[in-house]
Amino acid sequence: NITGNNITILTNSDEYGILLYDASNNTIKDNTLTNGDIYLEVNADWNYILHNTIDTSGTNADYSVYLSSSDYNTIYNNTGNKPIRLSGADNANVSENNITLSTYGYGIYLDSDNNFVEGNFLDDARIYIHTSEGTNTLKNNEINTTTPTNQKIGDSSGASYSNTVIYSNEFAEINWTLLDITDASIFGLVLGANPLISENYIEGSF
């Protein structure tokens, strides 16, 4: 396990702050990383990435957390200034992370299948589902982006792949399950809105 460390990478490059390669059942928790990211690669399965603060602004790193060909991982309650990306990394749980960006369009980038993405806060960022990826579920994520042409949820998965968006509370649930979730609409509520749900009342807030 890797817990409670202050990790600073001194070289100005895309150095890894924490790298797991073919390593399973580990916990990466309560670390502060400066100029380094968290990278799980090739069969790094069933790991937990929890409560880390990740600052990669001084590097060429493109991501705060990057999972490659590694399945069944949990990414929970981390703070970063670059996106979380899952590439060939299926069956992950990505929940309650805070990603704030200034120049990078994606907060969460899914190049993977069967992932559950819930309760994340994305500031000046969006969620993107890459080509040929399906059965991902996006639930109750708060997505703030000030760029009018920047879809809050982008779906390029294609006509043969189905993904789901859910917004819910104790009063109601809105569930989109369509082949192309970017174009989904219901009662005038479209993806890109942050639905406001109360008892017997629903509206979209942009």
Side-chain angles (χ1 to χ4, degrees):
N1 295 329
I2 304 172
T3 62
N5 298 286
N6 291 311
I7 301 171
T8 301
I9 305 301
L10 299 179
T11 57
N12 187 20
S13 67
D14 55 352
E15 297 286 344
Y16 304 126
I18 296 173
L19 171 64
L20 295 184
Y21 183 92
D22 193 15
S24 298
N25 298 298
N26 297 283
T27 298
I28 301 171
K29 181 180 179 183
D30 293 330
N31 299 287
T32 299
L33 289 84
T34 304
N35 298 339
D37 58 7
I38 297 175
Y39 195 109
L40 273 59
E41 185 177 13
V42 185
N43 299 323
D45 304 329
W46 298 103
N47 296 291
Y48 293 87
I49 303 172
L50 315 172
H51 310 300
N52 300 284
T53 300
I54 306 155
D55 181 1
T56 58
S57 57
T59 75
N60 296 322
D62 291 326
Y63 305 100
S64 294
V65 179
Y66 194 120
L67 272 57
S68 176
S69 302
S70 300
D71 300 330
Y72 297 101
N73 291 288
T74 296
I75 305 171
Y76 175 77
N77 195 28
N78 301 281
T79 300
N81 59 357
K82 295 280 182 71
I84 295 169
R85 180 170 182 178
L86 278 58
S87 179
D90 302 330
N91 300 294
N93 187 310
V94 183
S95 300
E96 298 189 27
N97 300 283
N98 188 320
I99 302 295
T100 301
L101 308 176
S102 58
T103 58
Y104 208 110
Y106 307 122
I108 297 175
Y109 189 116
L110 300 177
D111 190 6
S112 306
D113 298 313
N114 302 317
N115 298 293
F116 188 74
V117 179
E118 180 180 17
N120 299 281
F121 177 80
L122 307 180
D123 190 16
D124 203 12
R126 63 186 181 125
I127 296 174
Y128 180 70
I129 302 173
H130 191 62
T131 304
S132 302
E133 307 301 338
T135 58
N136 295 289
T137 298
L138 316 179
K139 182 176 181 180
N140 289 352
N141 296 286
E142 183 174 350
I143 306 168
N144 297 314
T145 177
T146 57
T147 306
T149 59
N150 205 7
Q151 297 168 335
K152 293 187 177 183
I153 299 175
D155 179 9
S156 299
S157 57
S160 299
Y161 298 88
S162 178
N163 295 283
T164 300
V165 173
I166 298 171
Y167 282 95
S168 67
N169 65 9
E170 67 271 24
F171 297 114
E173 177 177 284
I174 306 172
N175 185 320
W176 291 274
T177 305
L178 296 177
L179 294 181
D180 183 357
I181 62 175
T182 301
D183 296 328
S185 63
I186 181 170
F187 303 118
L189 293 170
V190 298
L191 295 180
N194 287 314
L196 304 176
I197 306 172
S198 58
E199 190 168 7
N200 299 318
Y201 183 79
I202 299 174
E203 70 172 343
S205 174
F206 290 88

